[in-house]
Amino acid sequence: MITPCINLFRTKDEAFYFKNSQINTQYLFGGIHLLPNNPIAYTQVTNAPDGAIIEDWTVRIFSIDDKTSYDITAFFTIIGMTNSDNGDPQFIWQLANVPYDMGFKLAYLEVSQVLGETFYSSPFMMTNIYADKTTQFHYKAKRTDEYQSIGFKTWFSQQDEKIDLTTYYETSTQHTVTQAVKVNKLELYETEPMAFHELSLLSLVLRSPYLYANLIRASLFEAISFPKKKSNENFGAFDYQLSPKESDTLIL
Protein backbone atom coordinates (compact mmCIF):
# COMPACT_ATOMS: atom_id res chain seq x y z
CA MET A 1 0.00 0.00 0.00
CA ILE A 2 1.27 3.49 -0.88
CA THR A 3 1.02 5.90 2.06
CA PRO A 4 -2.13 8.03 1.69
CA CYS A 5 -1.65 11.76 1.14
CA ILE A 6 -4.78 12.52 3.18
CA ASN A 7 -4.99 10.10 6.08
CA LEU A 8 -7.59 9.71 8.83
CA PHE A 9 -6.81 9.73 12.56
CA ARG A 10 -8.72 9.44 15.82
CA THR A 11 -7.59 12.83 17.19
CA LYS A 12 -6.91 16.24 15.69
CA ASP A 13 -3.48 16.27 17.34
CA GLU A 14 -2.50 13.19 15.32
CA ALA A 15 -4.13 14.50 12.14
CA PHE A 16 -2.39 17.89 12.25
CA TYR A 17 1.01 16.62 13.39
CA PHE A 18 4.07 16.99 11.16
CA LYS A 19 7.72 16.46 11.98
CA ASN A 20 9.26 19.86 12.53
CA SER A 21 12.60 21.45 13.33
CA GLN A 22 12.85 23.47 16.53
CA ILE A 23 14.49 26.32 14.62
CA ASN A 24 11.68 26.79 12.09
CA THR A 25 9.87 30.12 12.27
CA GLN A 26 8.40 30.35 8.73
CA TYR A 27 5.56 28.01 7.75
CA LEU A 28 3.69 27.26 4.54
CA PHE A 29 1.14 24.49 4.09
CA GLY A 30 -1.44 23.59 1.48
CA GLY A 31 0.57 21.65 -1.11
CA ILE A 32 -2.24 19.08 -1.31
CA HIS A 33 -4.81 20.96 -3.36
CA LEU A 34 -8.26 19.57 -4.23
CA LEU A 35 -10.70 21.33 -6.55
CA PRO A 36 -14.36 21.96 -5.70
CA ASN A 37 -16.99 20.60 -8.11
CA ASN A 38 -14.43 18.19 -9.55
CA PRO A 39 -16.27 15.22 -11.11
CA ILE A 40 -13.04 13.17 -11.18
CA ALA A 41 -13.04 11.69 -7.70
CA TYR A 42 -10.17 12.04 -5.27
CA THR A 43 -9.56 8.58 -3.79
CA GLN A 44 -7.55 7.70 -0.69
CA VAL A 45 -6.93 4.49 1.24
CA THR A 46 -6.83 4.91 5.01
CA ASN A 47 -3.79 3.82 6.98
CA ALA A 48 -5.18 4.61 10.41
CA PRO A 49 -3.21 3.32 13.41
CA ASP A 50 -4.95 0.20 14.80
CA GLY A 51 -7.21 0.08 11.75
CA ALA A 52 -10.49 1.81 10.88
CA ILE A 53 -14.03 0.50 10.48
CA ILE A 54 -16.89 2.80 9.48
CA GLU A 55 -20.67 2.68 9.02
CA ASP A 56 -23.59 5.15 9.27
CA TRP A 57 -21.24 8.10 8.78
CA THR A 58 -21.61 11.86 8.52
CA VAL A 59 -18.84 13.96 6.98
CA ARG A 60 -18.19 17.66 7.46
CA ILE A 61 -15.44 19.79 5.95
CA PHE A 62 -13.99 22.37 8.38
CA SER A 63 -11.79 25.42 7.96
CA ILE A 64 -8.90 25.15 10.41
CA ASP A 65 -8.76 28.93 10.85
CA ASP A 66 -12.34 30.01 11.57
CA LYS A 67 -14.15 26.66 12.04
CA THR A 68 -16.53 27.31 9.14
CA SER A 69 -18.00 23.94 8.21
CA TYR A 70 -20.27 22.28 5.67
CA ASP A 71 -21.98 18.91 5.55
CA ILE A 72 -20.49 17.01 2.60
CA THR A 73 -21.81 13.54 3.42
CA ALA A 74 -23.49 13.35 0.01
CA PHE A 75 -20.11 13.80 -1.70
CA PHE A 76 -18.13 11.31 0.42
CA THR A 77 -18.28 7.66 -0.64
CA ILE A 78 -16.82 4.44 0.75
CA ILE A 79 -15.94 2.30 -2.27
CA GLY A 80 -14.29 -0.68 -0.62
CA MET A 81 -12.53 -2.29 2.30
CA THR A 82 -8.90 -3.39 2.47
CA ASN A 83 -6.10 -4.06 4.95
CA SER A 84 -2.92 -2.20 5.76
CA ASP A 85 0.40 -4.01 5.42
CA ASN A 86 0.19 -5.23 9.03
CA GLY A 87 -3.32 -6.63 8.51
CA ASP A 88 -5.36 -3.89 10.19
CA PRO A 89 -8.75 -3.23 8.53
CA GLN A 90 -8.87 -0.06 6.44
CA PHE A 91 -11.28 1.47 3.93
CA ILE A 92 -11.13 3.26 0.59
CA TRP A 93 -12.97 6.57 0.35
CA GLN A 94 -13.70 9.15 -2.32
CA LEU A 95 -14.56 12.84 -2.57
CA ALA A 96 -16.16 14.17 -5.76
CA ASN A 97 -18.20 17.22 -6.78
CA VAL A 98 -17.80 18.95 -3.41
CA PRO A 99 -19.67 22.27 -3.96
CA TYR A 100 -17.79 24.33 -1.34
CA ASP A 101 -14.72 26.48 -1.90
CA MET A 102 -12.72 27.01 1.30
CA GLY A 103 -10.54 29.75 -0.22
CA PHE A 104 -7.00 30.18 1.12
CA LYS A 105 -7.92 28.45 4.40
CA LEU A 106 -6.64 24.97 5.15
CA ALA A 107 -9.43 22.44 5.51
CA TYR A 108 -9.88 19.05 7.13
CA LEU A 109 -12.58 16.37 7.25
CA GLU A 110 -14.47 15.18 10.31
CA VAL A 111 -15.96 11.74 9.75
CA SER A 112 -18.38 10.88 12.56
CA GLN A 113 -20.59 7.83 13.10
CA VAL A 114 -23.92 7.24 14.77
CA LEU A 115 -22.29 4.45 16.77
CA GLY A 116 -18.53 4.38 16.60
CA GLU A 117 -15.42 6.48 16.48
CA THR A 118 -14.89 9.90 14.91
CA PHE A 119 -11.99 10.36 12.51
CA TYR A 120 -10.18 13.54 11.47
CA SER A 121 -8.21 13.99 8.26
CA SER A 122 -4.83 15.57 7.73
CA PRO A 123 -5.17 19.13 6.31
CA PHE A 124 -5.45 20.09 2.65
CA MET A 125 -6.69 22.90 0.39
CA MET A 126 -10.15 22.82 -1.21
CA THR A 127 -10.36 25.77 -3.58
CA ASN A 128 -10.46 26.90 -7.21
CA ILE A 129 -7.82 29.55 -6.48
CA TYR A 130 -4.83 28.82 -8.75
CA ALA A 131 -6.61 25.75 -10.10
CA ASP A 132 -4.51 26.04 -13.27
CA LYS A 133 -1.40 25.31 -11.21
CA THR A 134 -2.62 21.96 -9.89
CA THR A 135 -2.24 18.43 -11.22
CA GLN A 136 -4.41 15.44 -10.32
CA PHE A 137 -2.56 12.15 -10.06
CA HIS A 138 -3.89 8.59 -10.08
CA TYR A 139 -1.40 6.06 -8.73
CA LYS A 140 -0.95 2.60 -7.23
CA ALA A 141 1.84 0.20 -6.33
CA LYS A 142 0.44 -3.08 -7.68
CA ARG A 143 -1.75 -3.96 -10.64
CA THR A 144 -4.41 -5.39 -8.33
CA ASP A 145 -4.52 -2.32 -6.06
CA GLU A 146 -7.23 0.34 -6.20
CA TYR A 147 -6.04 3.57 -7.80
CA GLN A 148 -5.60 6.36 -5.30
CA SER A 149 -6.04 9.90 -6.59
CA ILE A 150 -4.89 13.25 -5.22
CA GLY A 151 -4.23 16.83 -6.32
CA PHE A 152 -1.01 18.75 -5.71
CA LYS A 153 0.19 22.29 -6.36
CA THR A 154 2.37 21.30 -9.27
CA TRP A 155 2.03 22.17 -12.93
CA PHE A 156 3.34 21.52 -16.43
CA SER A 157 6.11 23.95 -17.37
CA GLN A 158 7.50 22.95 -20.78
CA GLN A 159 8.24 20.12 -23.16
CA ASP A 160 11.71 18.62 -23.50
CA GLU A 161 13.59 15.74 -25.11
CA LYS A 162 16.43 13.51 -24.03
CA ILE A 163 18.17 11.79 -26.93
CA ASP A 164 20.55 8.83 -26.66
CA LEU A 165 23.09 8.85 -29.51
CA THR A 166 25.45 6.28 -30.96
CA THR A 167 28.49 7.18 -33.05
CA TYR A 168 30.46 4.90 -35.37
CA TYR A 169 32.92 5.15 -38.23
CA GLU A 170 31.56 4.04 -41.62
CA THR A 171 34.48 2.62 -43.60
CA SER A 172 32.68 2.63 -46.96
CA THR A 173 32.17 6.39 -46.87
CA GLN A 174 35.01 7.20 -44.47
CA HIS A 175 32.66 9.32 -42.40
CA THR A 176 31.79 9.33 -38.73
CA VAL A 177 28.04 8.71 -38.39
CA THR A 178 25.92 9.75 -35.44
CA GLN A 179 22.43 8.29 -35.02
CA ALA A 180 19.70 8.68 -32.45
CA VAL A 181 19.17 5.37 -30.66
CA LYS A 182 16.38 6.50 -28.39
CA VAL A 183 14.35 9.70 -28.09
CA ASN A 184 12.55 10.36 -24.80
CA LYS A 185 9.69 12.85 -24.98
CA LEU A 186 9.55 14.64 -21.65
CA GLU A 187 7.38 17.12 -19.83
CA LEU A 188 8.93 19.36 -17.21
CA TYR A 189 6.91 20.17 -14.10
CA GLU A 190 7.40 22.67 -11.28
CA THR A 191 5.93 22.69 -7.81
CA GLU A 192 4.70 25.62 -5.82
CA PRO A 193 6.41 26.03 -2.43
CA MET A 194 4.93 23.57 0.06
CA ALA A 195 5.81 21.96 3.38
CA PHE A 196 8.66 19.45 3.18
CA HIS A 197 6.45 16.60 4.35
CA GLU A 198 4.04 17.40 1.48
CA LEU A 199 6.95 17.38 -0.98
CA SER A 200 7.89 13.97 0.40
CA LEU A 201 4.35 12.69 -0.25
CA LEU A 202 4.44 14.08 -3.80
CA SER A 203 7.80 12.37 -4.39
CA LEU A 204 6.29 9.08 -3.22
CA VAL A 205 3.34 9.49 -5.61
CA LEU A 206 5.65 10.27 -8.54
CA ARG A 207 7.66 7.09 -7.91
CA SER A 208 4.55 4.90 -8.16
CA PRO A 209 4.86 2.02 -10.65
CA TYR A 210 1.41 2.91 -12.01
CA LEU A 211 1.06 6.67 -12.46
CA TYR A 212 -1.29 8.95 -14.41
CA ALA A 213 -0.96 12.74 -14.46
CA ASN A 214 -4.23 14.42 -15.45
CA LEU A 215 -5.37 11.02 -16.76
CA ILE A 216 -2.30 10.54 -19.04
CA ARG A 217 0.04 7.61 -18.26
CA ALA A 218 3.44 8.89 -17.16
CA SER A 219 6.60 7.78 -15.44
CA LEU A 220 9.20 9.71 -13.49
CA PHE A 221 12.22 10.11 -15.78
CA GLU A 222 14.96 11.01 -13.32
CA ALA A 223 15.40 10.93 -9.56
CA ILE A 224 14.06 14.00 -7.78
CA SER A 225 16.56 16.38 -6.24
CA PHE A 226 15.04 17.26 -2.87
CA PRO A 227 15.62 20.89 -1.80
CA LYS A 228 17.72 21.80 1.22
CA LYS A 229 16.62 24.32 3.81
CA LYS A 230 17.97 27.81 3.21
CA SER A 231 16.76 29.42 6.41
CA ASN A 232 14.25 28.71 9.19
CA GLU A 233 11.41 27.58 6.93
CA ASN A 234 9.43 24.35 6.71
CA PHE A 235 8.88 24.57 2.95
CA GLY A 236 10.59 24.18 -0.40
CA ALA A 237 9.97 23.36 -4.07
CA PHE A 238 11.48 21.17 -6.77
CA ASP A 239 11.31 20.54 -10.53
CA TYR A 240 10.86 17.08 -12.03
CA GLN A 241 10.50 15.35 -15.39
CA LEU A 242 7.72 13.03 -16.49
CA SER A 243 7.82 10.82 -19.55
CA PRO A 244 4.22 10.72 -20.83
CA LYS A 245 2.56 8.01 -22.89
CA GLU A 246 -0.23 10.01 -24.49
CA SER A 247 -1.75 6.97 -26.18
CA ASP A 248 -2.57 5.56 -22.74
CA THR A 249 -5.32 7.47 -20.96
CA LEU A 250 -7.05 6.36 -17.78
CA ILE A 251 -10.66 5.31 -18.32
CA LEU A 252 -12.69 5.99 -15.18
Side-chain angles (χ1 to χ4, degrees), residues 109-130:
L109 303 179
E110 180 185 272
V111 184
S112 57
Q113 303 178 77
V114 175
L115 296 173
E117 299 175 291
T118 296
F119 295 94
Y120 305 91
S121 80
S122 45
F124 57 91
M125 301 289 288
M126 173 68 77
T127 182
N128 274 318
I129 299 171
Y130 300 131

Side-chain angles (χ1 to χ4, degrees), residues 31-185:
I32 298 171
H33 187 146
L34 312 187
L35 303 181
N37 299 302
N38 187 3
I40 303 174
Y42 299 103
T43 305
Q44 294 287 276
V45 179
T46 64
N47 192 21
D50 301 320
I53 299 175
I54 188 170
E55 58 184 15
D56 296 327
W57 60 84
T58 299
V59 182
R60 298 190 71 85
I61 186 169
F62 280 82
S63 163
I64 287 181
D65 291 340
D66 60 14
K67 307 305 179 186
T68 299
S69 72
Y70 303 97
D71 189 328
I72 60 168
T73 306
F75 312 102
F76 180 95
T77 307
I78 306 295
I79 64 168
M81 306 301 295
T82 186
N83 296 95
S84 51
D85 293 338
N86 64 2
D88 287 337
Q90 307 288 346
F91 59 88
I92 308 166
W93 58 272
Q94 288 186 335
L95 277 183
N97 292 304
V98 176
Y100 303 110
D101 191 320
M102 307 300 285
F104 283 109
K105 301 167 184 174
L106 277 173
Y108 67 94
L109 303 179
E110 180 185 272
V111 184
S112 57
Q113 303 178 77
V114 175
L115 296 173
E117 299 175 291
T118 296
F119 295 94
Y120 305 91
S121 80
S122 45
F124 57 91
M125 301 289 288
M126 173 68 77
T127 182
N128 274 318
I129 299 171
Y130 300 131
D132 58 331
K133 287 192 173 183
T134 67
T135 299
Q136 184 169 355
F137 298 99
H138 289 76
Y139 57 98
K140 61 181 179 179
K142 301 176 183 177
R143 183 181 60 82
T144 54
D145 289 346
E146 183 77 29
Y147 272 108
Q148 295 192 67
S149 177
I150 199 66
F152 273 96
K153 287 182 176 176
T154 182
W155 43 279
F156 167 78
S157 177
Q158 71 176 70
Q159 292 182 328
D160 194 9
E161 286 185 351
K162 290 292 176 66
I163 305 174
D164 296 333
L165 301 176
T166 183
T167 301
Y168 62 92
Y169 182 74
E170 191 173 66
T171 56
S172 61
T173 62
Q174 297 184 348
H175 288 106
T176 299
V177 180
T178 300
Q179 291 183 336
V181 177
K182 184 177 181 182
V183 178
N184 294 288
K185 299 290 186 179

Side-chain angles (χ1 to χ4, degrees), residues 192-206:
E192 293 292 292
M194 64 182 77
F196 284 116
H197 76 275
E198 293 172 325
L199 286 176
S200 180
L201 289 170
L202 174 57
S203 175
L204 188 62
V205 167
L206 293 173

